[in-house]
């Protein structure tokens, strides 16, 4: 299967409408991946890389580094309520500081889009890797009123790994104590137009957000795919997927569904803001 990515907006056009829902792309930061892309996708061929670079040329630097965007998305409903998908890399002291280009600027990006941090009612974390949770950590978060939506499988996995990760200590426990941790299982409707869909594989409880209104559709996702080469060959394994085979099946299924719906794709780490199956 191959999905053809089409750049439909210039990088400066950070807003799309899906029916009554306004989707705003918010860049927290950009910087290099800690791996070479050839190491992360060892099965990719030179032809695959050439095709991927034609689709997303800004993901490769002149000196051959894989360049990432660290992006969140704000979904503004017809009632003005704001749902944030992912919370970026966070401030200078965040968990992502070991490898990501902290500090991020997500609060400033929201303000520039006319959204106050206190307007954010819901944060959907696609998964609990450090580059997606930064500004949701209660000690650093400006989103003091927001419930935080996480899959139960993700909570279970990171609680089990508390000896080697800090997500339980700095994120899950404080959110639970504040009554703001909202644990769901599987697909869950958030609003009339916004639905959380389980997309496991990269992590056990990875989830994405589907925005649908009439014939219009957008899939907002974290690490369901992380590079345009996975739009050229969705079956390619990514070295940091926790369950590579499940991730492959999920990616193929979701991209096939998106192609059938002619959905827009909004992806955290691609340089291209919006793409279309």
């Amino acid at each position: 299967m191959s999905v053809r990515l089409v750049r439909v907006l210039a990088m400066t056009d950070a807003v799309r409408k899906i029916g009554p829902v306004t989707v705003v792309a918010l860049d927290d930061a950009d910087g290099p991946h800690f791996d070479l892309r050839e190491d992360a996708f060892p099965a990719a061929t030179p032809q695959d890389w050439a095709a991927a670079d034609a689709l997303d040329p800004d993901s490769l630097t002149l000196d051959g580094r894989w360049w990432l965007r660290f992006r969140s998305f704000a979904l503004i409903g017809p009632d003005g309520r704001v749902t944030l998908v992912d919370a970026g890399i966070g401030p200078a002291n965040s968990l992502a500081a070991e490898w990501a280009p902290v500090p991020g600027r997500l609060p400033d990006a929201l303000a520039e889009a006319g959204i106050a941090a206190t307007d954010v009612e819901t944060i959907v974390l696609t998964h609990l890797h450090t580059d997606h949770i930064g500004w949701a950590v209660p000690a650093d978060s400006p989103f003091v009123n927001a419930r935080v939506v996480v899959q139960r499988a993700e909570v279970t996995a990171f609680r089990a790994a508390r000896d080697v990760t800090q997500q339980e200590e700095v994120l899950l426990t404080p959110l639970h104590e504040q009554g703001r941790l909202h644990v769901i299982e599987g697909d869950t409707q958030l609003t009339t137009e916004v639905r959380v869909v389980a997309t496991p594989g990269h992590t056990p409880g990875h989830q994405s957000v589907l925005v649908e209104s009439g014939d219009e559709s957008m899939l907002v996702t974290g690490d369901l795919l992380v590079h345009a080469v996975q739009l050229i060959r969705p079956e390619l394994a990514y070295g940091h997927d926790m369950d590579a085979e499940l991730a492959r099946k999920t990616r193929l299924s979701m991209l096939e569904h998106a192609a059938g719906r002619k959905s827009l794709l909004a992806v955290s780490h691609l340089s291209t803001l919006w793409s279309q199956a």
Side-chain angles (χ1 to χ4, degrees):
M1 174 190 174
S2 178
V3 177
R4 187 170 69 91
L5 178 146
V6 179
R7 180 168 291 193
V8 295
L9 285 179
M11 285 299 295
T12 54
D13 296 324
V15 180
R16 288 290 287 186
K17 291 279 289 187
I18 302 295
V21 179
T22 301
V23 183
V24 184
L26 304 160
D27 282 350
D28 194 35
D30 61 277
H33 197 280
F34 51 81
D35 273 348
L36 294 174
R37 63 185 194 171
E38 291 82 4
D39 293 334
F41 300 97
T45 67
Q47 292 78 17
D48 294 333
W49 292 123
D53 290 342
L55 294 176
D56 198 21
D58 293 336
S59 67
L60 182 65
T61 67
L62 293 176
D63 58 357
R65 288 180 296 172
W66 174 13
W67 201 257
L68 297 179
R69 264 57 182 184
F70 298 88
R71 188 179 290 127
S72 301
F73 295 89
L75 314 179
I76 307 171
D79 56 2
R81 294 182 178 182
V82 179
T83 296
L84 188 65
V85 182
D86 278 336
I89 57 176
N93 63 340
S94 72
L95 294 182
E98 293 182 356
W99 70 277
V102 297
R105 61 178 311 274
L106 180 59
D108 290 337
L110 273 167
E112 290 163 5
I115 302 170
T118 52
D119 291 339
V120 176
E121 293 194 358
T122 301
I123 302 172
V124 177
L125 297 178
T126 61
H127 61 299
L128 298 187
H129 282 163
T130 58
D131 56 321
H132 293 258
I133 67 172
W135 292 106
V137 171
D140 301 312
S141 180
F143 309 117
V144 294
N145 301 322
R147 64 171 178 161
V148 179
V149 180
V150 186
Q151 288 285 330
R152 185 171 301 280
E154 195 78 351
V155 171
T156 299
F158 278 85
R159 281 182 172 159
R162 63 169 61 92
D163 290 342
V164 293
T165 67
Q166 297 181 61
Q167 281 87 336
E168 165 72 11
E169 175 186 355
V170 305
L171 179 75
L172 297 175
T173 295
L175 285 174
H176 176 72
E177 291 174 347
Q178 294 174 14
R180 297 196 293 120
L181 182 64
H182 186 66
V183 180
I184 62 174
E185 292 192 64
D187 296 1
T188 302
Q189 200 77 30
L190 295 185
T191 70
T192 302
E193 297 86 11
V194 178
R195 179 160 54 102
V196 174
V197 291
T199 50
H202 179 65
T203 61
H206 190 283
Q207 58 187 357
S208 303
V209 174
L210 191 61
V211 185
E212 293 184 302
S213 179
D215 293 335
E216 297 179 299
S217 175
M218 177 185 287
L219 180 65
V220 184
T221 188
D223 288 4
L224 177 72
L225 61 99
V226 296
H227 194 283
V229 75
Q230 292 175 291
L231 290 168
I232 302 301
R233 289 181 58 199
E235 72 276 12
L236 283 176
Y238 172 49
H240 299 286
D241 286 334
M242 293 178 69
D243 186 332
E245 179 57 22
L246 179 57
R248 182 188 71 83
K249 290 179 179 178
T250 299
R251 187 164 49 252
L252 285 166
S253 174
M254 293 304 298
L255 290 179
E256 192 170 328
H257 174 79
R261 287 276 283 144
K262 296 184 179 179
S263 298
L264 287 171
L265 303 176
V267 184
S268 294
H269 295 308
L270 269 62
S271 295
T272 300
L273 263 179
W274 317 104
S275 51
Q276 186 167 323

